[in-house]
Amino acid sequence: MLNAQKEFSNFKIHTQYSICEGAIKIDDLAIYCKENKLKTIGLCDNYNLCGALEFAEKVSKSGSQPIIGTQINFLFDYEIGKLPLFAMSSTGYKNLIKLSSKSYLDSNSKSEPYCRLEELKENNEGLILLSGNHRDLFGKLFKSNKLKKIKDCINDLKSIFKNRFYIEIQRHGEDEEKNYEDHFIKLSSITDTPLIASQEVYYMEEEMYEAHDALVCIGNKEFVDSPNRTKYSRQHFIKRNEDLKKIFADIPEALENNYNFPFRFHFKPKKSAPILPSIKTNKNTNVKEELLSQAKLGLENRINNFILKKNKTSQKSEIIKIYEDRLNHELNIINSMNYESYFLIVSDYIKWSKKNNIPVGPGRGSGAGSLVAYCLDITDLDPIEFDLIFERFLNPDRISMPDFDIDFCEDKRDLVFEYLTKKYKESVAHIITFGKLKARMVIRDVGRVLGLAYGFVDSISKMIPFDPSRPQSLTECIGSEPRLQKLINEDTRVKKLTDLSLKLEGLNRNVATHAAGVVIADKKLSEIVPLYKDASANLLLPST
């Protein structure tokens, strides 16, 4: 099938999840796709798939076809470098997740995350492989003059990937591109490997170049005026279709393969229903029976040791009936919504914590309205005594995941993580978070890479109000601060500082880990979601 409209496919978009490299917010990209009626757009963030689901959901709603890929580091002949991979199908996406996760989980703290090339060959099904550009794996081999190794590697990969392997040609006006391109066009002919034209897109509009340059310096901890730093050309924005046709007019094969590239994909990741883990029970019981048994034992303990002692004037039989009726009512709802395992798992690690002298809070939020939770030692608040309503926590008419707010002693929290790791092994992970370039932070970071004096930048950042409960955007801060407005009008340094900061505000700055949140699944997490691990952080678990 040929693309009759001859529309250039930008399948190498780097969003803000390419940390301190991509300067594109997915919301903005979706609006751009809708306004320009783009048929297709592709994600290709460096080293992760963190934006894959968000990208697929929002781009689809804009009317464009999302293509999901990433760039993963691979080791070959003592060189570590990126190779772009794209998921053609659900099988390909699973292999993409597997390789992305392995690059972090199997790497040591002394190296950047990578996979071995053999692992790519073993997990190639459903994937399209590109050769990358002059900064990537083959580019590094080319700079080292390992020309025979490059040829042998391309032949090897082509024998495995067949027609799912392309030699990539990019033209951004960078000095090293021409020699690299000439050699790989020759290799394409020698190895009978098809060419494909592409653009490495880091920002949407050409006017973003200077701000993106500052963003790269922030990530690399370099100054803008450093002579030997990482520097990109001004051509890494989304170009017009007509312009791209002219740029690659002399290699029609590469253009034609680009036009037809989207037709090879019939997959996008979708939101799924919650995947709840199951807890092991005795062979003679199922989770419903186990929950009923533990809840009744817990209720008996609570009644005898707490409830009756507080209600000495009331009839024992009446009290027991009130509590048993409430317990049965809650159990019916929990069972109907299939949340038995959830309650048992939470109860299990809380009981373990209390048994091992780890302080645990009594419970907060709507979860305190559950008698089952009280009986399972999840909470220490009697919901009947305090007239708390269970339906605020779990309601069959308003289906949402139950959510217990549990407080653990900060000093001993790692012991709980250790217990979960031993019990659930590769089915548990931390929750990944992203630090943002917020109003104050972006002023400080941009000021630093521009080489402005620390005291000068500090005095400007202190004009920006700091109130986490009511955060203001940089635009709002400037609008409400006459001193800052005066400086912008009178000092060109401050004008440039704020102009660049406004363009970068809100982008992801760094990857972090949620202090206490964990994910537990019913199978190996690396089979369901991509995992990340910061080897230098010394964490027990990976993150997702």
Side-chain angles (χ1 to χ4, degrees), residues 298-326:
L299 179 60
E300 185 180 336
N301 172 58
R302 293 293 194 184
I303 286 174
N304 293 332
N305 294 310
F306 299 97
I307 297 165
L308 289 178
K309 289 180 180 179
K310 293 180 183 178
N311 297 274
K312 293 179 180 178
T313 58
S314 304
Q315 287 289 328
K316 179 179 177 181
S317 58
E318 290 178 8
I319 292 172
I320 291 173
K321 186 174 189 314
I322 289 169
Y323 278 84
E324 284 182 342
D325 287 349
R326 171 70 174 260

PDB file of all heavy atoms in Angstrom, residues 298-326:
ATOM      1  N   GLY A 298     -10.907 -11.528  63.136  1.00  0.00           N
ATOM      2  CA  GLY A 298     -10.560 -10.164  63.531  1.00  0.00           C
ATOM      3  C   GLY A 298     -11.694  -9.483  64.266  1.00  0.00           C
ATOM      4  O   GLY A 298     -11.468  -8.759  65.252  1.00  0.00           O
ATOM      5  N   LEU A 299     -12.949  -9.699  63.798  1.00  0.00           N
ATOM      6  CA  LEU A 299     -14.105  -9.100  64.466  1.00  0.00           C
ATOM      7  C   LEU A 299     -14.253  -9.651  65.883  1.00  0.00           C
ATOM      8  O   LEU A 299     -14.528  -8.899  66.835  1.00  0.00           O
ATOM      9  CB  LEU A 299     -15.375  -9.375  63.652  1.00  0.00           C
ATOM     10  CG  LEU A 299     -16.669  -8.823  64.254  1.00  0.00           C
ATOM     11  CD1 LEU A 299     -16.600  -7.301  64.394  1.00  0.00           C
ATOM     12  CD2 LEU A 299     -17.878  -9.230  63.406  1.00  0.00           C
ATOM     13  N   GLU A 300     -14.047 -10.954  66.008  1.00  0.00           N
ATOM     14  CA  GLU A 300     -14.134 -11.568  67.345  1.00  0.00           C
ATOM     15  C   GLU A 300     -13.113 -10.945  68.294  1.00  0.00           C
ATOM     16  O   GLU A 300     -13.424 -10.621  69.451  1.00  0.00           O
ATOM     17  CB  GLU A 300     -13.895 -13.078  67.215  1.00  0.00           C
ATOM     18  CG  GLU A 300     -14.071 -13.847  68.513  1.00  0.00           C
ATOM     19  CD  GLU A 300     -13.820 -15.337  68.337  1.00  0.00           C
ATOM     20  OE1 GLU A 300     -13.949 -15.849  67.210  1.00  0.00           O
ATOM     21  OE2 GLU A 300     -13.480 -15.983  69.349  1.00  0.00           O
ATOM     22  N   ASN A 301     -11.904 -10.728  67.796  1.00  0.00           N
ATOM     23  CA  ASN A 301     -10.854 -10.111  68.608  1.00  0.00           C
ATOM     24  C   ASN A 301     -11.220  -8.668  68.978  1.00  0.00           C
ATOM     25  O   ASN A 301     -11.069  -8.257  70.127  1.00  0.00           O
ATOM     26  CB  ASN A 301      -9.536 -10.138  67.829  1.00  0.00           C
ATOM     27  CG  ASN A 301      -8.440  -9.341  68.516  1.00  0.00           C
ATOM     28  OD1 ASN A 301      -8.079  -9.593  69.666  1.00  0.00           O
ATOM     29  ND2 ASN A 301      -7.912  -8.345  67.807  1.00  0.00           N
ATOM     30  N   ARG A 302     -11.709  -7.901  68.006  1.00  0.00           N
ATOM     31  CA  ARG A 302     -12.065  -6.505  68.258  1.00  0.00           C
ATOM     32  C   ARG A 302     -13.228  -6.403  69.253  1.00  0.00           C
ATOM     33  O   ARG A 302     -13.227  -5.552  70.152  1.00  0.00           O
ATOM     34  CB  ARG A 302     -12.448  -5.805  66.941  1.00  0.00           C
ATOM     35  CG  ARG A 302     -11.302  -5.626  65.952  1.00  0.00           C
ATOM     36  CD  ARG A 302     -10.255  -4.654  66.446  1.00  0.00           C
ATOM     37  NE  ARG A 302      -9.334  -4.247  65.369  1.00  0.00           N
ATOM     38  CZ  ARG A 302      -8.288  -3.467  65.547  1.00  0.00           C
ATOM     39  NH1 ARG A 302      -7.999  -3.003  66.757  1.00  0.00           N
ATOM     40  NH2 ARG A 302      -7.507  -3.151  64.540  1.00  0.00           N
ATOM     41  N   ILE A 303     -14.239  -7.291  69.091  1.00  0.00           N
ATOM     42  CA  ILE A 303     -15.405  -7.254  69.998  1.00  0.00           C
ATOM     43  C   ILE A 303     -14.992  -7.571  71.431  1.00  0.00           C
ATOM     44  O   ILE A 303     -15.344  -6.854  72.375  1.00  0.00           O
ATOM     45  CB  ILE A 303     -16.500  -8.236  69.513  1.00  0.00           C
ATOM     46  CG1 ILE A 303     -17.197  -7.659  68.267  1.00  0.00           C
ATOM     47  CG2 ILE A 303     -17.524  -8.504  70.616  1.00  0.00           C
ATOM     48  CD1 ILE A 303     -18.190  -8.602  67.619  1.00  0.00           C
ATOM     49  N   ASN A 304     -14.237  -8.636  71.601  1.00  0.00           N
ATOM     50  CA  ASN A 304     -13.882  -9.078  72.955  1.00  0.00           C
ATOM     51  C   ASN A 304     -12.888  -8.147  73.642  1.00  0.00           C
ATOM     52  O   ASN A 304     -12.968  -7.927  74.856  1.00  0.00           O
ATOM     53  CB  ASN A 304     -13.293 -10.497  72.904  1.00  0.00           C
ATOM     54  CG  ASN A 304     -14.336 -11.521  72.489  1.00  0.00           C
ATOM     55  OD1 ASN A 304     -15.533 -11.331  72.725  1.00  0.00           O
ATOM     56  ND2 ASN A 304     -13.895 -12.608  71.860  1.00  0.00           N
ATOM     57  N   ASN A 305     -11.966  -7.601  72.880  1.00  0.00           N
ATOM     58  CA  ASN A 305     -10.892  -6.816  73.504  1.00  0.00           C
ATOM     59  C   ASN A 305     -11.092  -5.301  73.483  1.00  0.00           C
ATOM     60  O   ASN A 305     -10.412  -4.584  74.218  1.00  0.00           O
ATOM     61  CB  ASN A 305      -9.556  -7.142  72.835  1.00  0.00           C
ATOM     62  CG  ASN A 305      -9.127  -8.571  73.085  1.00  0.00           C
ATOM     63  OD1 ASN A 305      -9.119  -9.034  74.227  1.00  0.00           O
ATOM     64  ND2 ASN A 305      -8.803  -9.294  72.021  1.00  0.00           N
ATOM     65  N   PHE A 306     -12.015  -4.830  72.648  1.00  0.00           N
ATOM     66  CA  PHE A 306     -12.180  -3.374  72.532  1.00  0.00           C
ATOM     67  C   PHE A 306     -13.640  -2.931  72.619  1.00  0.00           C
ATOM     68  O   PHE A 306     -14.011  -2.129  73.468  1.00  0.00           O
ATOM     69  CB  PHE A 306     -11.574  -2.865  71.203  1.00  0.00           C
ATOM     70  CG  PHE A 306     -10.104  -3.120  71.087  1.00  0.00           C
ATOM     71  CD1 PHE A 306      -9.628  -4.227  70.396  1.00  0.00           C
ATOM     72  CD2 PHE A 306      -9.181  -2.265  71.668  1.00  0.00           C
ATOM     73  CE1 PHE A 306      -8.264  -4.467  70.284  1.00  0.00           C
ATOM     74  CE2 PHE A 306      -7.826  -2.497  71.564  1.00  0.00           C
ATOM     75  CZ  PHE A 306      -7.365  -3.601  70.875  1.00  0.00           C
ATOM     76  N   ILE A 307     -14.478  -3.471  71.718  1.00  0.00           N
ATOM     77  CA  ILE A 307     -15.834  -2.945  71.556  1.00  0.00           C
ATOM     78  C   ILE A 307     -16.686  -3.165  72.798  1.00  0.00           C
ATOM     79  O   ILE A 307     -17.332  -2.226  73.298  1.00  0.00           O
ATOM     80  CB  ILE A 307     -16.498  -3.571  70.311  1.00  0.00           C
ATOM     81  CG1 ILE A 307     -15.707  -3.164  69.048  1.00  0.00           C
ATOM     82  CG2 ILE A 307     -17.953  -3.118  70.180  1.00  0.00           C
ATOM     83  CD1 ILE A 307     -16.030  -3.985  67.814  1.00  0.00           C
ATOM     84  N   LEU A 308     -16.715  -4.404  73.334  1.00  0.00           N
ATOM     85  CA  LEU A 308     -17.542  -4.687  74.503  1.00  0.00           C
ATOM     86  C   LEU A 308     -17.064  -3.945  75.742  1.00  0.00           C
ATOM     87  O   LEU A 308     -17.857  -3.563  76.602  1.00  0.00           O
ATOM     88  CB  LEU A 308     -17.573  -6.200  74.780  1.00  0.00           C
ATOM     89  CG  LEU A 308     -18.364  -7.039  73.766  1.00  0.00           C
ATOM     90  CD1 LEU A 308     -18.287  -8.520  74.129  1.00  0.00           C
ATOM     91  CD2 LEU A 308     -19.830  -6.598  73.701  1.00  0.00           C
ATOM     92  N   LYS A 309     -15.777  -3.717  75.817  1.00  0.00           N
ATOM     93  CA  LYS A 309     -15.246  -2.997  76.976  1.00  0.00           C
ATOM     94  C   LYS A 309     -15.686  -1.527  76.975  1.00  0.00           C
ATOM     95  O   LYS A 309     -15.738  -0.883  78.025  1.00  0.00           O
ATOM     96  CB  LYS A 309     -13.720  -3.075  76.977  1.00  0.00           C
ATOM     97  CG  LYS A 309     -13.205  -4.475  77.320  1.00  0.00           C
ATOM     98  CD  LYS A 309     -11.681  -4.521  77.321  1.00  0.00           C
ATOM     99  CE  LYS A 309     -11.194  -5.932  77.667  1.00  0.00           C
ATOM    100  NZ  LYS A 309      -9.721  -6.020  77.661  1.00  0.00           N
ATOM    101  N   LYS A 310     -15.980  -0.997  75.774  1.00  0.00           N
ATOM    102  CA  LYS A 310     -16.455   0.389  75.681  1.00  0.00           C
ATOM    103  C   LYS A 310     -17.977   0.486  75.808  1.00  0.00           C
ATOM    104  O   LYS A 310     -18.522   1.572  75.959  1.00  0.00           O
ATOM    105  CB  LYS A 310     -16.044   1.001  74.329  1.00  0.00           C
ATOM    106  CG  LYS A 310     -14.558   1.191  74.150  1.00  0.00           C
ATOM    107  CD  LYS A 310     -14.278   1.802  72.781  1.00  0.00           C
ATOM    108  CE  LYS A 310     -12.781   1.951  72.539  1.00  0.00           C
ATOM    109  NZ  LYS A 310     -12.519   2.505  71.182  1.00  0.00           N
ATOM    110  N   ASN A 311     -18.671  -0.662  75.669  1.00  0.00           N
ATOM    111  CA  ASN A 311     -20.141  -0.668  75.691  1.00  0.00           C
ATOM    112  C   ASN A 311     -20.662  -1.612  76.767  1.00  0.00           C
ATOM    113  O   ASN A 311     -21.428  -2.541  76.487  1.00  0.00           O
ATOM    114  CB  ASN A 311     -20.689  -1.089  74.324  1.00  0.00           C
ATOM    115  CG  ASN A 311     -20.327  -0.118  73.227  1.00  0.00           C
ATOM    116  OD1 ASN A 311     -21.012   0.863  73.010  1.00  0.00           O
ATOM    117  ND2 ASN A 311     -19.233  -0.401  72.523  1.00  0.00           N
ATOM    118  N   LYS A 312     -20.260  -1.401  77.993  1.00  0.00           N
ATOM    119  CA  LYS A 312     -20.618  -2.301  79.101  1.00  0.00           C
ATOM    120  C   LYS A 312     -22.099  -2.249  79.420  1.00  0.00           C
ATOM    121  O   LYS A 312     -22.669  -3.201  79.964  1.00  0.00           O
ATOM    122  CB  LYS A 312     -19.798  -1.943  80.338  1.00  0.00           C
ATOM    123  CG  LYS A 312     -18.306  -2.232  80.158  1.00  0.00           C
ATOM    124  CD  LYS A 312     -17.512  -1.853  81.383  1.00  0.00           C
ATOM    125  CE  LYS A 312     -16.028  -2.148  81.186  1.00  0.00           C
ATOM    126  NZ  LYS A 312     -15.210  -1.746  82.344  1.00  0.00           N
ATOM    127  N   THR A 313     -22.764  -1.134  79.105  1.00  0.00           N
ATOM    128  CA  THR A 313     -24.184  -1.001  79.447  1.00  0.00           C
ATOM    129  C   THR A 313     -25.097  -1.607  78.386  1.00  0.00           C
ATOM    130  O   THR A 313     -26.278  -1.829  78.633  1.00  0.00           O
ATOM    131  CB  THR A 313     -24.543   0.493  79.610  1.00  0.00           C
ATOM    132  OG1 THR A 313     -24.229   1.180  78.387  1.00  0.00           O
ATOM    133  CG2 THR A 313     -23.764   1.114  80.767  1.00  0.00           C
ATOM    134  N   SER A 314     -24.589  -1.873  77.203  1.00  0.00           N
ATOM    135  CA  SER A 314     -25.422  -2.377  76.110  1.00  0.00           C
ATOM    136  C   SER A 314     -25.493  -3.907  76.127  1.00  0.00           C
ATOM    137  O   SER A 314     -24.657  -4.588  76.739  1.00  0.00           O
ATOM    138  CB  SER A 314     -24.857  -1.914  74.768  1.00  0.00           C
ATOM    139  OG  SER A 314     -24.751  -0.513  74.732  1.00  0.00           O
ATOM    140  N   GLN A 315     -26.522  -4.425  75.454  1.00  0.00           N
ATOM    141  CA  GLN A 315     -26.671  -5.869  75.332  1.00  0.00           C
ATOM    142  C   GLN A 315     -25.608  -6.442  74.397  1.00  0.00           C
ATOM    143  O   GLN A 315     -25.447  -5.958  73.275  1.00  0.00           O
ATOM    144  CB  GLN A 315     -28.061  -6.206  74.780  1.00  0.00           C
ATOM    145  CG  GLN A 315     -29.196  -5.999  75.765  1.00  0.00           C
ATOM    146  CD  GLN A 315     -29.181  -7.032  76.879  1.00  0.00           C
ATOM    147  OE1 GLN A 315     -28.772  -8.179  76.683  1.00  0.00           O
ATOM    148  NE2 GLN A 315     -29.623  -6.609  78.065  1.00  0.00           N
ATOM    149  N   LYS A 316     -24.917  -7.480  74.866  1.00  0.00           N
ATOM    150  CA  LYS A 316     -23.835  -8.072  74.073  1.00  0.00           C
ATOM    151  C   LYS A 316     -24.357  -8.600  72.733  1.00  0.00           C
ATOM    152  O   LYS A 316     -23.741  -8.383  71.686  1.00  0.00           O
ATOM    153  CB  LYS A 316     -23.187  -9.197  74.871  1.00  0.00           C
ATOM    154  CG  LYS A 316     -22.058  -9.891  74.124  1.00  0.00           C
ATOM    155  CD  LYS A 316     -21.433 -10.984  74.979  1.00  0.00           C
ATOM    156  CE  LYS A 316     -20.341 -11.726  74.189  1.00  0.00           C
ATOM    157  NZ  LYS A 316     -19.737 -12.820  75.012  1.00  0.00           N
ATOM    158  N   SER A 317     -25.504  -9.270  72.733  1.00  0.00           N
ATOM    159  CA  SER A 317     -26.044  -9.870  71.504  1.00  0.00           C
ATOM    160  C   SER A 317     -26.416  -8.803  70.477  1.00  0.00           C
ATOM    161  O   SER A 317     -26.234  -8.985  69.271  1.00  0.00           O
ATOM    162  CB  SER A 317     -27.266 -10.728  71.830  1.00  0.00           C
ATOM    163  OG  SER A 317     -28.265  -9.936  72.467  1.00  0.00           O
ATOM    164  N   GLU A 318     -26.932  -7.663  70.965  1.00  0.00           N
ATOM    165  CA  GLU A 318     -27.311  -6.581  70.048  1.00  0.00           C
ATOM    166  C   GLU A 318     -26.073  -5.975  69.381  1.00  0.00           C
ATOM    167  O   GLU A 318     -26.072  -5.680  68.182  1.00  0.00           O
ATOM    168  CB  GLU A 318     -28.064  -5.482  70.814  1.00  0.00           C
ATOM    169  CG  GLU A 318     -29.446  -5.902  71.259  1.00  0.00           C
ATOM    170  CD  GLU A 318     -30.137  -4.795  72.046  1.00  0.00           C
ATOM    171  OE1 GLU A 318     -29.590  -3.674  72.098  1.00  0.00           O
ATOM    172  OE2 GLU A 318     -31.217  -5.064  72.610  1.00  0.00           O
ATOM    173  N   ILE A 319     -25.029  -5.792  70.184  1.00  0.00           N
ATOM    174  CA  ILE A 319     -23.780  -5.230  69.657  1.00  0.00           C
ATOM    175  C   ILE A 319     -23.180  -6.156  68.605  1.00  0.00           C
ATOM    176  O   ILE A 319     -22.796  -5.718  67.515  1.00  0.00           O
ATOM    177  CB  ILE A 319     -22.774  -4.999  70.800  1.00  0.00           C
ATOM    178  CG1 ILE A 319     -23.279  -3.882  71.720  1.00  0.00           C
ATOM    179  CG2 ILE A 319     -21.395  -4.620  70.247  1.00  0.00           C
ATOM    180  CD1 ILE A 319     -22.470  -3.715  72.977  1.00  0.00           C
ATOM    181  N   ILE A 320     -23.129  -7.437  68.958  1.00  0.00           N
ATOM    182  CA  ILE A 320     -22.541  -8.403  68.023  1.00  0.00           C
ATOM    183  C   ILE A 320     -23.309  -8.419  66.708  1.00  0.00           C
ATOM    184  O   ILE A 320     -22.726  -8.463  65.619  1.00  0.00           O
ATOM    185  CB  ILE A 320     -22.500  -9.810  68.662  1.00  0.00           C
ATOM    186  CG1 ILE A 320     -21.483  -9.837  69.810  1.00  0.00           C
ATOM    187  CG2 ILE A 320     -22.149 -10.870  67.619  1.00  0.00           C
ATOM    188  CD1 ILE A 320     -21.477 -11.120  70.606  1.00  0.00           C
ATOM    189  N   LYS A 321     -24.676  -8.373  66.801  1.00  0.00           N
ATOM    190  CA  LYS A 321     -25.493  -8.391  65.574  1.00  0.00           C
ATOM    191  C   LYS A 321     -25.219  -7.165  64.701  1.00  0.00           C
ATOM    192  O   LYS A 321     -25.101  -7.271  63.466  1.00  0.00           O
ATOM    193  CB  LYS A 321     -26.974  -8.455  65.932  1.00  0.00           C
ATOM    194  CG  LYS A 321     -27.869  -8.614  64.685  1.00  0.00           C
ATOM    195  CD  LYS A 321     -29.316  -8.816  65.063  1.00  0.00           C
ATOM    196  CE  LYS A 321     -30.153  -9.187  63.848  1.00  0.00           C
ATOM    197  NZ  LYS A 321     -29.918  -8.385  62.656  1.00  0.00           N
ATOM    198  N   ILE A 322     -25.103  -5.977  65.320  1.00  0.00           N
ATOM    199  CA  ILE A 322     -24.836  -4.752  64.561  1.00  0.00           C
ATOM    200  C   ILE A 322     -23.522  -4.879  63.785  1.00  0.00           C
ATOM    201  O   ILE A 322     -23.449  -4.566  62.593  1.00  0.00           O
ATOM    202  CB  ILE A 322     -24.774  -3.531  65.506  1.00  0.00           C
ATOM    203  CG1 ILE A 322     -26.173  -3.211  66.043  1.00  0.00           C
ATOM    204  CG2 ILE A 322     -24.186  -2.315  64.798  1.00  0.00           C
ATOM    205  CD1 ILE A 322     -26.178  -2.205  67.175  1.00  0.00           C
ATOM    206  N   TYR A 323     -22.506  -5.404  64.463  1.00  0.00           N
ATOM    207  CA  TYR A 323     -21.190  -5.517  63.837  1.00  0.00           C
ATOM    208  C   TYR A 323     -21.144  -6.623  62.787  1.00  0.00           C
ATOM    209  O   TYR A 323     -20.524  -6.469  61.733  1.00  0.00           O
ATOM    210  CB  TYR A 323     -20.105  -5.731  64.903  1.00  0.00           C
ATOM    211  CG  TYR A 323     -19.668  -4.437  65.554  1.00  0.00           C
ATOM    212  CD1 TYR A 323     -20.383  -3.897  66.619  1.00  0.00           C
ATOM    213  CD2 TYR A 323     -18.567  -3.736  65.087  1.00  0.00           C
ATOM    214  CE1 TYR A 323     -20.002  -2.703  67.215  1.00  0.00           C
ATOM    215  CE2 TYR A 323     -18.176  -2.542  65.661  1.00  0.00           C
ATOM    216  CZ  TYR A 323     -18.897  -2.026  66.733  1.00  0.00           C
ATOM    217  OH  TYR A 323     -18.514  -0.834  67.295  1.00  0.00           O
ATOM    218  N   GLU A 324     -21.840  -7.741  63.060  1.00  0.00           N
ATOM    219  CA  GLU A 324     -21.849  -8.837  62.085  1.00  0.00           C
ATOM    220  C   GLU A 324     -22.606  -8.442  60.820  1.00  0.00           C
ATOM    221  O   GLU A 324     -22.186  -8.775  59.703  1.00  0.00           O
ATOM    222  CB  GLU A 324     -22.468 -10.088  62.712  1.00  0.00           C
ATOM    223  CG  GLU A 324     -21.534 -10.797  63.683  1.00  0.00           C
ATOM    224  CD  GLU A 324     -22.146 -12.064  64.265  1.00  0.00           C
ATOM    225  OE1 GLU A 324     -23.396 -12.207  64.180  1.00  0.00           O
ATOM    226  OE2 GLU A 324     -21.382 -12.898  64.804  1.00  0.00           O
ATOM    227  N   ASP A 325     -23.710  -7.726  60.989  1.00  0.00           N
ATOM    228  CA  ASP A 325     -24.479  -7.274  59.824  1.00  0.00           C
ATOM    229  C   ASP A 325     -23.640  -6.330  58.967  1.00  0.00           C
ATOM    230  O   ASP A 325     -23.629  -6.419  57.733  1.00  0.00           O
ATOM    231  CB  ASP A 325     -25.764  -6.560  60.270  1.00  0.00           C
ATOM    232  CG  ASP A 325     -26.800  -7.533  60.811  1.00  0.00           C
ATOM    233  OD1 ASP A 325     -26.603  -8.750  60.636  1.00  0.00           O
ATOM    234  OD2 ASP A 325     -27.791  -7.073  61.422  1.00  0.00           O
ATOM    235  N   ARG A 326     -22.954  -5.397  59.639  1.00  0.00           N
ATOM    236  CA  ARG A 326     -22.107  -4.448  58.905  1.00  0.00           C
ATOM    237  C   ARG A 326     -20.970  -5.190  58.195  1.00  0.00           C
ATOM    238  O   ARG A 326     -20.647  -4.897  57.040  1.00  0.00           O
ATOM    239  CB  ARG A 326     -21.549  -3.412  59.876  1.00  0.00           C
ATOM    240  CG  ARG A 326     -20.482  -2.466  59.341  1.00  0.00           C
ATOM    241  CD  ARG A 326     -21.022  -1.451  58.327  1.00  0.00           C
ATOM    242  NE  ARG A 326     -19.979  -0.495  57.955  1.00  0.00           N
ATOM    243  CZ  ARG A 326     -19.863   0.735  58.444  1.00  0.00           C
ATOM    244  NH1 ARG A 326     -20.749   1.190  59.331  1.00  0.00           N
ATOM    245  NH2 ARG A 326     -18.902   1.528  58.040  1.00  0.00           N
TER     246      ARG A 326
END
